[in-house]
Amino acid sequence: MSQVNAREYWTDMNRAEQGVATFMAVTIGGLLVAMLAGGLDPTYFLFLFGLGGMFALMSLGLNAQWGFTGLINFSVAAFFGLGAYGAALMTATNSPVAGGFDPIFGLVLGLVLAAVFAVAIGIPTLRLRADYLAIATLGLAEVIRTVILNERDLTAGSQGLRGIPGFFENWPVLSTFPEAMPGLRIEIIPGQPVVLELSFWEQLLNVSLLLVFLGVSFFVLRRAHRSPWGRVLRTIRSDEDLAKTLGKNTYWYKMQAFVLGSLVMALAGVFFAHLNLFVDPSNLDPITTFYVWVAVMLGGAGSNRGALFGGFVVVAIREGPRFINELPPAPVRNVLEGIINVIPSVTVEIPSIVLDAGPLRLLLIGLTIILVMRYRPQGVLPPQRELIWPDAIDDDEKARPEMGVREAKTGEIDD
Amino acid sequence: MAVTEQFLELAANGLVYSSIIILGSIGLSLIYSIAGFANFAHGDTMTVGAYATLIAFGAVGGAGFSILGLPLGFFVALVIGIVVTAAVALVTERLVYKPLDIGSIGLLITSIGVAFIYRALIQVQFSSDSRRFDIDRLRPIEPLVEYGIRITKHDIAIVISAVTLVVGLHVLLQHTDLGRKMRATADNPDLARASGIRIRRVELWTWVLGAGLAGAGGAFLGLFNLLAPRMGFSELLVIFAAVILGGIGSVYGAMLGGLLIGMIVSMTPLLSTVGIPIGGEYAAALAFIVMVLVLLVRPEGIAGEPVGGG
């Protein structure tokens, strides 16, 4: 894209979009600077990026269910876990069923498990009223977690599955890629070198797998959302009776959206198994479900871009508290005390609360939910022009958007 | 005979557990029908009650004579705990739910945030380790052990207190002005408003009663098991199961549902004794499956029936 286009693109965005773009640029820039200055381990940076992408992937999946169709699915963690367990059961060294297979079979098993369970959960619950659906899916997710925890002959129970190989283990070039890459040593600030070695290249490989998953899911879902099929889903979301009146089998459409979303969540699980190399029942804890919900609500229901953004913010909420163990954080407090104590004969100690990462994380996630619902229930990046096929407005029709709308509507009647 | 003995033991335990679940489910059902949303913070409201009672008991101390193995101080602390929980619920309602204008699903999601904040604050103060009330553990009552029943005086105290609270609520609902207004509002808010009932006041009372009962339930749960920041959230789905089985909005349905679900959860170990290969670890899972079945077959619950309703 040329520079002129980039500027046009910028002025074309609304304020929220500009804000998010600036925020992302500053955050990523800051992390890059910290990394090059030696303050942040590049391998860890990639790991965080991988986690962010993983949550973004789950958010995309949930967005297909809640954002497109209005299904309240509180079993995200279960589908994530099914994907992870599918991958792990096929590849782990201590798998009670079938260890040691190529990870590609794990991917297949993960997706198959997710699809089967999505249908099994969907059949009874998708006819239910919205709030009953929420409670029922949360309950059934707990049933799945309990089964995985207790059926030791199938899943190794609370011990978990270990010895999961990297995803590209048996691939021709990629399997030896980390070993083949030279250890790089970059020294920008003297005395604080940044070393890129084996673990960095392994992590880079993981992240590229994630980017493939993320890219494929994003484009499939975006295409689906704009297709006639996606328009039926949006009709169901806003008025299910209307969709029925139009002769649509809403139950069947809801089932398709539910399975599609669950498959994307399972994809995140498969990635996690190969990132973490260890899977246990705690990965199915319902808290994961709520993290993903926060990501989707923050991004804006129905917005795929928003889901990507939300996924990364949630990882900041999840991983940030590791670095803050008191409030206000020690550096902030030192600076403040320094300023106040400039006046001689006055010494003020700012009281601080010592916090563990666990409660701080819960507190932040809780506050985020409440603040978003209160001040921006539509999310930060709500879908724009969602009923309009992009060609209809992005070209010379821009000056007359009504034209584009009409065209899109004609298209809708046709199918 | 072994089966009978196990049955008696589980039934006795189930009665205690059910009383706790009933206290939780009445509040959840009341709030569901009058405030109009599924309150996912209700489990953590129970946790608040448990910890409030713990703090109050620490301050009041175990002085005074004791009833059923519990010092008088515990009952004083329990009352303080109930009041504190009701106050916390009122403040939450005022600060969080009241200003929102987002429909019942939005409120449901918000209540998850509230649940996390309650739990986070408790965890900041008390860490995630479990605690217990500073009361000596009792041995099971001797004459009953013969029949295989192992319950303590504390368990009996829990059941009696729960029954007292439930009867109190029944009297309130049936024989006071507030009770009639609450029933009218739950039944048809618009009609109630048109008849001159101040809905807002009824709503606030609903939160007070619902949270108060939940607080008591939480304190008893802490006495029955242990106190831990996750204790309430872990029971939330069981309580939902009870409310749905009983029929949302029906207080008497919630009582019946609580009793049934509590019994199902407690009796699950019996299944493997009689040859059905479902172990005790699936107790809660079984309750959730019952819940989904009820939603499918009879979403209005037991008390939805015109004859059995309250």
Side-chain angles (χ1 to χ4, degrees):
Chain A
M1 196 181 273
S2 73
Q3 207 164 2
V4 185
N5 273 348
R7 184 170 302 150
E8 243 175 47
Y9 193 70
W10 175 259
T11 49
D12 219 29
M13 292 196 281
N14 61 27
R15 287 194 55 163
E17 288 173 322
Q18 289 176 350
V20 169
T22 317
F23 173 77
M24 295 287 271
V26 169
T27 314
I28 292 173
L31 287 174
L32 279 176
V33 169
M35 195 170 78
L36 291 175
L40 179 69
D41 180 17
T43 313
Y44 184 61
F45 173 74
L46 282 184
F47 177 76
L48 284 185
F49 185 83
L51 276 187
M54 186 183 91
F55 272 96
L57 198 55
M58 283 191 273
S59 312
L60 281 177
L62 180 61
N63 194 35
Q65 299 171 339
W66 162 240
F68 297 2
T69 328
L71 301 173
I72 301 200
N73 177 10
F74 276 176
S75 52
V76 179
F79 289 105
F80 170 73
L82 285 170
Y85 263 90
L89 284 174
M90 287 308 256
T91 58
T93 46
N94 71 334
S95 164
V97 230
F101 278 87
D102 189 279
I104 203 82
F105 293 105
L107 174 67
V108 173
L109 180 66
L111 294 180
V112 168
L113 278 179
V116 169
F117 276 89
V119 172
I121 290 186
I123 289 175
T125 58
L126 288 179
R127 290 181 203 278
L128 298 175
R129 217 173 78 183
D131 49 348
Y132 291 173
L133 179 62
I135 300 166
T137 48
L138 188 59
L140 291 176
E142 280 294 281
V143 173
I144 292 180
R145 191 178 67 84
T146 319
V147 170
I148 288 185
L149 182 63
N150 290 305
E151 293 306 310
R152 287 182 194 81
D153 301 342
L154 277 177
T155 64
S158 56
Q159 283 182 350
L161 293 166
R162 61 191 80 249
I164 303 168
F167 187 78
F168 295 108
E169 191 199 25
N170 300 327
W171 291 47
V173 182
L174 292 176
S175 59
T176 51
F177 169 79
E179 285 87 0
M181 286 305 285
L184 285 183
R185 200 182 141 89
I186 307 167
E187 195 163 328
I188 290 176
I189 295 175
Q192 289 199 317
V194 180
V195 186
L196 307 181
E197 47 197 358
L198 187 66
S199 59
F200 175 81
W201 302 114
E202 278 173 350
Q203 208 64 270
L204 193 66
L205 213 52
N206 278 329
V207 168
S208 45
L209 172 70
L210 174 83
L211 289 177
V212 172
F213 282 177
L214 210 51
V216 170
S217 312
F218 185 81
F219 285 107
V220 166
L221 289 175
R222 194 172 72 158
R223 185 69 184 77
H225 193 205
R226 287 171 175 171
S227 69
W229 181 79
R231 287 200 291 273
V232 175
L233 295 187
R234 290 199 298 269
T235 315
I236 293 175
R237 181 194 156 102
S238 49
D239 188 343
E240 190 173 346
D241 290 332
L242 174 65
K244 280 185 189 157
T245 316
L246 293 171
K248 306 293 181 192
N249 182 348
T250 55
Y251 179 68
W252 178 232
Y253 275 96
K254 287 201 276 188
M255 178 65 86
Q256 290 168 337
F258 192 71
V259 173
L260 179 67
S262 304
L263 286 177
V264 177
M265 292 166 193
L267 218 47
V270 173
F271 167 73
F272 176 77
H274 293 292
L275 176 80
N276 203 34
L277 309 183
F278 173 69
V279 169
D280 78 357
S282 71
N283 299 134
L284 280 79
D285 192 286
I287 188 96
T288 308
T289 300
F290 299 122
Y291 276 124
V292 178
W293 267 89
V294 171
V296 171
M297 284 181 336
L298 198 65
S303 160
N304 286 324
R305 296 175 309 166
L308 290 180
F309 167 68
F312 283 94
V313 174
V314 157
V315 168
I317 295 177
R318 218 180 84 123
E319 300 300 311
R322 279 186 211 281
F323 305 103
I324 306 169
N325 31 33
E326 49 185 341
L327 270 186
V332 176
R333 198 157 48 95
N334 289 342
V335 170
L336 284 179
E337 279 178 3
I339 293 171
I340 297 171
N341 297 342
V342 165
I343 311 161
S345 80
V346 187
T347 23
V348 181
E349 272 195 24
I350 296 173
S352 72
I353 314 165
V354 178
L355 281 177
D356 288 337
L360 182 57
R361 209 175 272 168
L362 275 178
L363 195 65
L364 287 176
I365 212 88
L367 280 175
T368 314
I369 296 179
I370 291 173
L371 292 177
V372 168
M373 294 318 277
R374 170 95 181 253
Y375 295 106
R376 206 163 163 95
Q378 77 275 33
V380 179
L381 289 175
Q384 311 253 325
R385 308 177 277 239
E386 68 164 1
L387 282 164
I388 306 167
W389 186 258
D391 292 351
I393 42 169
D394 277 353
D395 300 324
D396 29 271
E397 305 289 340
K398 196 182 283 168
R400 294 173 290 158
E402 297 90 339
M403 185 72 173
V405 172
R406 204 168 301 137
E407 273 165 14
K409 284 199 169 157
T410 341
E412 193 172 59
I413 293 163
D414 280 345
D415 53 74
Chain B
M1 273 302 105
V3 177
T4 330
E5 265 194 10
Q6 197 191 3
F7 174 81
L8 282 177
E9 179 181 0
L10 293 176
N13 248 309
L15 207 60
V16 185
Y17 181 66
S18 297
S19 342
I20 296 168
I21 296 299
I22 288 174
L23 289 178
S25 41
I26 293 174
L28 187 62
S29 188
L30 274 175
I31 293 170
Y32 210 142
S33 62
I34 291 182
F37 68 98
N39 181 14
F40 273 67
H42 200 71
D44 292 272
T45 308
M46 292 176 76
T47 317
V48 170
Y51 278 88
T53 310
L54 180 76
I55 298 172
F57 187 55
V60 174
F65 56 94
S66 65
I67 310 161
L68 288 167
L70 291 171
L72 185 65
F74 178 80
F75 291 98
V76 176
L78 178 66
V79 172
I80 299 176
I82 292 174
V83 172
V84 169
T85 315
V88 167
L90 276 184
V91 170
T92 310
E93 203 272 347
R94 186 76 197 75
L95 286 182
V96 181
Y97 300 125
K98 180 85 199 313
L100 293 178
D101 181 26
I102 41 174
S104 66
I105 298 304
L107 287 168
L108 184 158
I109 293 170
T110 310
S111 70
I112 296 171
V114 171
F116 285 162
I117 289 180
Y118 285 172
R119 203 202 304 173
L121 294 179
I122 288 170
Q123 223 168 309
V124 166
Q125 192 62 39
F126 294 95
S127 87
S128 56
D129 303 335
S130 54
R131 283 165 187 258
R132 55 190 210 83
F133 289 108
D134 189 18
I135 300 172
D136 291 335
R137 296 248 147 178
L138 296 180
R139 297 171 61 75
I141 300 167
E142 281 299 333
L144 291 175
V145 174
E146 231 178 287
Y147 303 98
I149 302 173
R150 317 180 122 267
I151 55 170
T152 65
K153 281 187 193 164
H154 290 169
D155 297 335
I156 294 181
I158 292 175
V159 176
I160 292 178
S161 314
V163 169
T164 314
L165 287 169
V166 166
V167 169
L169 182 75
H170 167 76
V171 172
L172 184 117
L173 284 177
Q174 298 297 334
H175 301 289
T176 68
D177 206 33
L178 174 67
R180 270 189 290 276
K181 286 175 181 168
M182 283 180 71
R183 283 185 292 139
T185 311
D187 210 38
N188 188 337
D190 294 329
L191 193 58
R193 194 192 305 269
S195 332
I197 293 174
R198 294 197 190 102
I199 304 278
R200 180 73 192 143
R201 194 174 291 177
V202 171
E203 249 177 46
L204 292 179
W205 271 109
T206 305
W207 281 100
V208 167
L209 290 173
L213 290 174
F220 292 141
L221 190 62
L223 186 66
F224 184 55
N225 290 327
L226 288 167
L227 290 98
R230 270 191 79 109
M231 59 190 278
F233 193 74
S234 318
E235 301 299 331
L236 178 68
L237 272 171
V238 175
I239 294 173
F240 264 120
V243 170
I244 286 169
L245 178 61
I248 287 170
S250 158
V251 169
Y252 300 96
M255 294 175 192
L256 189 57
L259 183 67
L260 288 174
I261 288 290
M263 282 299 181
I264 289 174
V265 170
S266 310
M267 296 285 208
T268 305
L270 206 60
L271 289 179
S272 44
T273 316
V274 297
I276 302 167
I278 297 176
E281 63 272 21
Y282 287 109
L286 206 62
F288 306 154
I289 289 174
V290 169
M291 171 178 83
V292 174
L293 290 179
V294 173
L295 282 175
L296 281 178
V297 181
R298 199 179 160 79
E300 68 273 29
I302 302 172
E305 205 177 48
V307 191

